[in-house]
Amino acid sequence: MKKTIALLTGGTTGEWVVSVKSAATIAQNLDPARFEVYKIMLSQQGWFYEPADSLKIEVDRNDFSLTIDGRKIRFDGVFIAIHGSPGEDGKLQGYFDMIGIPYTTCDALTSAITMNKGYTKAIVHDIEELSVAESVQLMHAEDAAGKVKEKLKLPYFVKPNNGGSSIGMSKVKSGDELQAALDKAFKEDSQVLVEEFVSGREFSVGVFRSGGVIRVLPATEVIPANEFFDFEAKYTPGATEEITPGRMTDEERARVERIVTKIYDRLNCRGIVRVDYFLEEGTGKFYFIEINTIPGQTITSFIPQQVAAMGVELKTFYTELLDETIGR
C-alpha cells in the first residue's frame, strides 16, 4: 500500500530558494511505486499545494490536510525540505508532534538546539577526539567588538548564531574589520558567534540512521577558490572545488566516522544530517564546525554527491530515510 507523503518546501528566510531546488531533487527521486507525493509550498502568504492543472489549494492547518474535489487527503508523513526557519529550527516539528504526523527530520528539541551554533558546541565539546575552536557567543551588539578582542586571537570567523547557508558570515583578519563583520552578522540574527580561525582542510559529511544503525556517508572535501566557504562559494558553480570522497588517510576516515557517529547520537538526531569539520593543519585534529539537520538536496549538494559516491541511487536512499523516520 502506497504511503501519502507531503513534501514540504519554501520557508520564510533567504534560504527558500535552496529549499525549492532541494524539493525538486527529492520529488524526482521518490519511488512512485511506494509513495504518493504532494509538494506543498510554505511561505509568508500561506501553505499551499499547487497542482499543475488547477489553482493552488490551501492546506487546512488544523490537521494538515488537503481537500481536493471534495475528497479529504491526509498524510502518512512529511518530508521536510525547508532549510532555515520554520523547517530546521523545530517550529514545524513541534506542530507535527502536536497533530501526530511523523516527519523525516530531527525532533523539535534537537532541531531548535542545533540551529544555535553556540549551544550545539556546548553539548558536543567533550566528545572524545573532538575539538572546538575558541569562541565568544554574543547576545547583544553593545561593546561586542571589545568582548571579542579581549577573549580571542585574530583571525576570526564571525557568523550569525542561528543562520544557515553561511549568510552573514565574514572572516576578519585585522581588528579594524571586526565592527563591519559584526554589523553584518547582527543584521541576520540577534545572537552572533565569533570563533578563532582554525587552519586546516575543510570537510562535510552526511550521517543517517538506516535499519536502526547509524551510518556515515563518504565525506566531501571542500576547497573554496576564495578564503572560505560562504554563500556565494556554496551556490556559485565552479567557485569551490569539491572532492567526494575527500582525501583522508584510513586512520582519519575511521576517526571521523567514530566522532560524527557520537555527535549524531549525543544530539539525538533523526533522518539525514550533515556535519562540517576541519582537520587541523599539522596535527590532523578534528575541529567541529557545525551540524545541519536539513542539509541541501539540490543536485549539486553534498548529500546527493556522497550518496552517489557510496554507490547507492538517491531513490533507494530516500526510501530508506522514509522507512526509518515515517515507517514502512
Side-chain angles (χ1 to χ4, degrees):
M1 176 111 164
K2 278 191 191 185
K3 279 200 179 292
T4 307
I5 301 293
L7 175 56
L8 203 49
T9 185
T12 56
T13 71
E15 292 185 83
W16 75 269
V17 185
V18 186
S19 297
V20 169
K21 289 181 179 174
S22 286
T25 306
I26 295 162
Q28 283 164 7
N29 291 284
L30 287 178
D31 185 351
R34 290 279 319 273
F35 309 109
E36 190 176 343
V37 182
Y38 292 79
K39 194 190 288 183
I40 289 168
M41 172 66 75
L42 185 155
S43 70
Q44 253 108 0
Q45 284 67 52
W47 303 9
F48 296 99
Y49 169 57
E50 300 183 29
D53 56 353
S54 69
L55 295 169
K56 56 189 184 183
I57 297 159
E58 190 159 9
V59 172
D60 181 347
R61 293 191 217 176
N62 291 305
D63 59 0
F64 194 71
S65 65
L66 291 171
T67 302
I68 301 175
D69 300 330
R71 183 170 70 97
K72 196 172 179 77
I73 293 164
R74 296 180 185 277
F75 296 101
D76 297 308
V78 184
F79 199 130
I80 303 177
I82 295 176
H83 313 303
S85 193
E88 200 164 4
D89 57 4
K91 293 188 176 83
L92 277 174
Q93 289 80 359
Y95 162 73
F96 288 122
D97 284 343
M98 285 197 295
I99 60 173
I101 298 179
Y103 46 84
T104 50
T105 71
C106 296
D107 66 15
L109 179 63
T110 294
S111 300
I113 287 171
T114 53
M115 273 297 277
N116 187 304
K117 297 178 178 73
Y119 294 167
T120 307
K121 284 175 70 169
I123 292 169
V124 302
H125 81 280
D126 64 343
I127 287 175
E128 201 179 336
E129 303 179 293
L130 177 149
S131 303
V132 292
E134 290 294 322
S135 63
V136 174
Q137 190 166 340
L138 301 163
M139 305 296 192
H140 312 283
E142 299 83 53
D143 193 35
K147 287 175 188 156
V148 171
K149 287 174 179 173
E150 187 186 312
K151 292 190 176 171
L152 302 180
K153 295 195 290 283
L154 279 160
Y156 318 124
F157 268 131
V158 179
K159 37 187 150 176
N161 204 21
N162 294 293
S165 284
S166 308
I167 295 168
M169 187 163 135
S170 309
K171 184 180 177 189
V172 172
K173 293 179 180 170
S174 67
D176 54 9
E177 296 171 358
L178 179 58
Q179 193 56 55
L182 289 167
D183 292 344
K184 180 178 167 185
F186 272 116
K187 216 176 266 176
E188 296 295 328
D189 192 7
S190 59
Q191 291 182 28
V192 168
L193 186 71
V194 183
E195 296 174 320
E196 284 185 1
F197 178 64
V198 175
S199 181
R201 293 175 295 139
E202 186 173 346
F203 295 84
S204 192
V205 65
V207 192
F208 66 109
R209 199 188 297 269
S210 178
V213 177
I214 298 172
R215 297 174 63 191
V216 181
L217 291 169
T220 299
E221 186 172 351
V222 184
I223 307 166
N226 65 358
E227 289 255 36
F228 67 95
F229 195 44
D230 59 7
F231 186 85
E232 285 70 30
K234 263 183 194 176
Y235 300 113
T236 307
T240 305
E241 188 185 350
E242 296 163 8
I243 304 168
T244 310
R247 296 166 299 183
M248 288 187 286
T249 64
D250 290 346
E251 184 278 327
E252 286 171 337
R253 192 173 294 106
R255 179 159 45 91
V256 165
E257 288 188 5
R258 276 197 306 276
I259 296 168
V260 297
T261 298
K262 285 176 186 168
I263 292 169
Y264 191 97
D265 195 44
R266 171 73 64 89
L267 291 166
N268 190 34
C269 293
R270 286 174 79 244
I272 177 73
V273 305
R274 206 188 74 225
V275 176
D276 299 342
Y277 62 95
F278 283 113
L279 292 180
E280 191 181 29
E281 221 167 79
T283 68
K285 268 164 82 172
F286 179 107
Y287 272 86
F288 174 80
I289 302 173
E290 64 176 3
I291 184 168
N292 294 273
T293 58
I294 303 187
Q297 302 289 335
T298 73
I299 210 62
T300 57
S301 293
F302 293 149
I303 298 301
Q305 282 184 46
Q306 292 172 13
V307 170
M310 194 170 63
V312 174
E313 285 188 3
L314 270 181
K315 185 164 86 170
T316 305
F317 176 70
Y318 291 143
T319 298
E320 283 186 26
L321 210 57
L322 283 160
D323 285 347
E324 183 70 25
T325 53
I326 285 163
R328 291 187 75 83

